[in-house]
Amino acid sequence: MKASIGGYARAETVAHAIALLGEADGAGRILAGGQSLVAALNLGASAGDLLVDIAGIRSLRGTRLDGNRLVIGALTRHSDIVRDALIAEHAPLLAAAAPLVAHDAIRNRGTIGGALAYADPAAEYPACALALGATIILEGPDGTREVAAGDFFLGLFETAREDNEILTAIAVPKARRGELHVIREAARRAGDYALAGLAVVRRDGRHRIGAFGLADRALLCEGAMAALDQDDVDAAITALAQDIDPPGDTQASATYRRHLAGVLLRRIALDLGGAQ
Ligand SMILES: Cc1cc2nc3c(=O)[nH]c(=O)nc-3n(C[C@H](O)[C@H](O)[C@H](O)COP(=O)(O)OP(=O)(O)OC[C@H]3O[C@@H](n4cnc5c(N)ncnc54)[C@H](O)[C@@H]3O)c2cc1C
């Protein structure tokens, strides 16, 4: 099917993009890397919408330090994240996640802001944002607001972002000395969306576990986190099975995804133990 759109406008600045969304009165769709949106348009979703292209807004690209936080602009591409020195030093979880996202061609165009705003339950970054205790930064007609990642991912492709808001950046706490970051996933082929995945941060002896592909959204696995804090891996795997609510589909049954989650957590526990 050919994409059908109501119009196209290239935004020069964030304020310009917000104004264009306002003029579209609920029928505006932000276009960033286009790697998910264009496929959705070709399937007939969003027909008649005004595409507001933000790809040329330079202020939304790149990374900077802000006190104890690393701020990553929404238009920072997956391929930039693989190479960025600040991300490697201060948010190694994201540096490890980026090569798992799709293929080179998609990583060269797709953006972290697009992936977070799209909120695919099988995507890596939302789970990383939860594990890192990240903050999502949004800008709209009433100014800027910050939303904890834990309050941002609300359901299947659903977030706390309002239609007239732009996700401008994600801020993550700078990694502390001795902090460990691990991400593992199971996918049918390299570059496919994961069947199941876990992103884990160990900070000051405490664990944060973000799950992807294991519910209708990225999830923080609080039962498993508490058990892992006690170094009880078997209890963590048992608790993880309760934390998650995996879907069953043509790719994998819910039972198989639950099994994969336990296998991934055991491997991650070995990764963490091996690094001590
Ligand atoms: C074959 C294939 C395999 C893929 N595999 C994976 C994978 O394994 N893991 C993974 O995470 N992703 C995967 N993706 C998706 C890819 O990572 C996309 O790049 C990403 O999901 C969206 O980023 P984008 O910049 O292309 O956003 P777009 O496609 O431009 O936009 C996606 C959605 O987010 C909205 N949006 C975009 N930017 C903003 C913003 N700044 N503020 C508010 N709303 C915004 C858009 O309006 C749209 O609804 C895959 C895609 C393909 C085609």
Side-chain angles (χ1 to χ4, degrees), residues 39-137:
L41 290 172
N42 285 334
L43 289 170
S46 313
D49 284 357
L50 170 72
L51 294 190
V52 177
D53 186 349
I54 62 169
I57 304 178
R58 294 171 66 92
S59 64
L60 293 180
R61 182 156 291 145
T63 53
R64 67 186 165 83
L65 293 176
D66 174 22
N68 287 330
R69 310 198 302 183
L70 172 67
V71 180
I72 304 166
L75 286 182
T76 307
R77 294 180 178 145
H78 312 317
S79 54
D80 300 327
I81 291 173
V82 173
R83 292 188 291 263
D84 188 277
L86 287 178
I87 292 178
E89 182 176 356
H90 300 294
L93 186 65
L94 293 175
L100 301 176
V101 176
H103 313 276
D104 275 341
I106 292 162
R107 289 197 289 269
N108 283 336
R109 303 227 29 118
T111 66
I112 188 167
L116 292 166
Y118 195 53
D120 191 307
E124 288 82 359
Y125 296 140
C128 292
L130 292 172
L132 289 163
T135 303
I136 307 295
I137 304 177

Side-chain angles (χ1 to χ4, degrees), residues 29-30 32-37 78 101-102 106 110-111 114 117 123-124 167 193:
R29 288 293 290 260
I30 296 165
Q35 298 305 294
S36 297
L37 182 56
H78 312 317
V101 176
I106 292 162
T111 66
E124 288 82 359
L167 192 161
Y193 272 108

Side-chain angles (χ1 to χ4, degrees), residues 143-274:
T144 303
R145 69 183 179 113
E146 299 198 355
V147 181
D151 297 326
F152 187 71
F153 303 104
L154 300 181
L156 193 62
F157 301 108
E158 194 191 339
T159 70
R161 184 183 74 85
E162 301 290 344
D163 284 346
N164 56 4
E165 287 181 313
I166 295 180
L167 192 161
T168 56
I170 170 175
V172 301
K174 280 163 54 181
R176 300 182 202 156
R177 185 183 286 272
E179 196 167 303
L180 294 175
H181 294 196
V182 181
I183 182 166
R184 277 188 176 265
E185 68 179 39
R188 289 202 175 276
R189 296 170 305 185
D192 282 1
Y193 272 108
L195 297 175
L198 297 174
V200 179
V201 171
R202 182 163 74 198
R203 184 177 292 157
D204 298 332
R206 308 290 302 273
H207 298 82
R208 290 177 66 87
I209 306 175
F212 52 105
L214 292 168
D216 68 347
R217 73 197 77 173
L219 275 188
L220 204 58
C221 302
E222 301 199 13
M225 285 157 49
L228 213 52
D229 287 349
Q230 305 299 319
D231 276 336
D232 190 338
V233 178
D234 289 332
I237 290 170
T238 303
L240 181 66
Q242 299 300 313
D243 289 332
I244 58 178
D245 184 14
D249 54 31
T250 51
Q251 296 291 314
S253 67
T255 306
Y256 182 54
R257 282 195 164 91
R258 207 179 287 279
H259 168 74
L260 286 177
V263 171
L264 292 171
L265 186 55
R266 192 173 294 286
R267 290 184 183 165
I268 286 173
L270 288 171
D271 295 335
L272 293 170

